[in-house]
Amino acid sequence: MVSSSRNLMMAALCLSSAQGFTVQNGSSTSRQSSSALQMSSTSNNEEGVSRRTIFQSAAALSVASIASTFNPELAVAAGSPPTAAELARIKTGYDGLTYLLENFEAETTVCRENGGECKRDAERVRKYLGLRSTTDPLFQIEKVFVKVKYMDVDPDEIESFFEATEEWNTAQNMSNSMAFISQFAEYNPGGGKDEVLKYLDEAQKQVIQARGALKKILKAIESAS
């Protein structure tokens, strides 16, 4: 709040200076060429008005540029908060990760039909993280996180919210990597089923981190209700 007020004050001061410069230059020009102005035609007067308008518009644009330098968010058009459906995706994704963790072995085990061989498979981990399909609740959920900043989030939760979004990105990427590696660990040189389980275990640890990040994000969103 303080930073935004300071930026607005600086922008206002710059605007005042630009307007003062316009007036002073206008007065100086008027004094130096008063006789010429008296002899100017109506078309010349209109041209002078047009030039002043252009100058003032340019000055205002310069102020906007200066203000956006101090606060980059001012350079972006005001956005809109997430819709109820978008917020519901976060909660659905959180519940999905909870279910995955509670049933991790079953969800990461694939068996052939008719009682065939079963093996561990991390593909479900990537699906729950929103990395397999555009219909997954957490698919590109970061775009929804960006919209949350346009909500009236409790100031006490803002820092925690941004930390949680970073934690989410890290955990999602790490879990995705571990899950992907586990799918080939059995066939890599020196690999085997133990290697598959090792990377699956690492993927699970990152899912725990990802769910924790979503919990913090949901708390921040609830503070805006």
Side-chain angles (χ1 to χ4, degrees):
M1 296 291 290
V2 174
S3 178
S4 297
S5 299
R6 186 183 299 112
N7 292 339
L8 291 174
M9 288 177 67
M10 293 182 71
L13 287 173
C14 291
L15 180 59
S16 297
S17 298
Q19 291 174 338
F21 181 72
T22 303
V23 172
Q24 290 171 6
N25 276 1
S27 298
S28 176
T29 302
S30 177
R31 287 193 299 269
Q32 292 176 5
S33 57
S34 58
S35 59
L37 290 175
Q38 291 172 359
M39 297 175 64
S40 297
S41 63
T42 302
S43 61
N44 288 337
N45 287 334
E46 291 177 351
E47 182 180 357
V49 172
S50 177
R51 288 179 176 176
R52 285 196 298 273
T53 301
I54 293 173
F55 178 80
Q56 291 171 345
S57 298
L61 181 60
S62 297
V63 170
S65 299
I66 294 171
S68 65
T69 299
F70 288 107
N71 187 352
E73 292 184 0
L74 295 179
V76 182
S80 57
T83 64
E86 288 173 326
L87 293 178
R89 286 174 52 200
I90 301 177
K91 181 62 169 62
T92 301
Y94 173 82
D95 292 340
L97 292 183
T98 299
Y99 178 82
L100 172 63
L101 291 171
E102 292 176 349
N103 303 274
F104 195 79
E105 184 172 352
E107 285 294 302
T108 57
T109 299
V110 177
C111 298
R112 294 181 179 178
E113 296 181 357
N114 302 320
E117 179 186 4
C118 296
K119 66 175 184 177
R120 301 297 296 276
D121 191 324
E123 194 65 13
R124 296 289 290 175
V125 173
R126 302 178 69 209
K127 178 174 178 59
Y128 278 103
L129 288 170
L131 298 168
R132 294 298 300 154
S133 170
T134 58
T135 60
D136 295 337
L138 294 177
F139 176 74
Q140 294 186 351
I141 200 66
E142 297 82 6
K143 293 182 178 180
V144 180
F145 297 163
V146 172
K147 291 184 177 182
V148 172
K149 69 181 181 181
Y150 297 112
M151 298 176 66
D152 188 20
V153 176
D154 186 333
D156 293 337
E157 297 293 338
I158 292 178
E159 183 176 356
S160 177
F161 167 77
F162 283 111
E163 288 178 352
T165 59
E166 293 178 0
E167 292 170 1
W168 161 261
N169 290 333
T170 299
Q172 184 194 48
N173 290 331
M174 287 295 296
S175 185
N176 180 40
S177 297
M178 296 299 101
F180 183 80
I181 293 172
S182 74
Q183 291 180 287
F184 303 95
E186 184 176 356
Y187 309 104
N188 288 337
K193 292 184 178 180
D194 289 342
E195 288 295 297
V196 173
L197 294 177
K198 182 180 75 173
Y199 286 109
L200 263 177
D201 182 59
E202 290 301 319
Q204 183 180 20
K205 291 177 181 177
Q206 293 302 319
V207 171
I208 294 173
Q209 296 298 318
R211 183 182 64 165
L214 288 186
K215 184 175 183 179
K216 293 178 183 178
I217 290 170
L218 286 170
K219 183 180 178 182
I221 291 172
E222 290 173 358
S223 74
S225 303

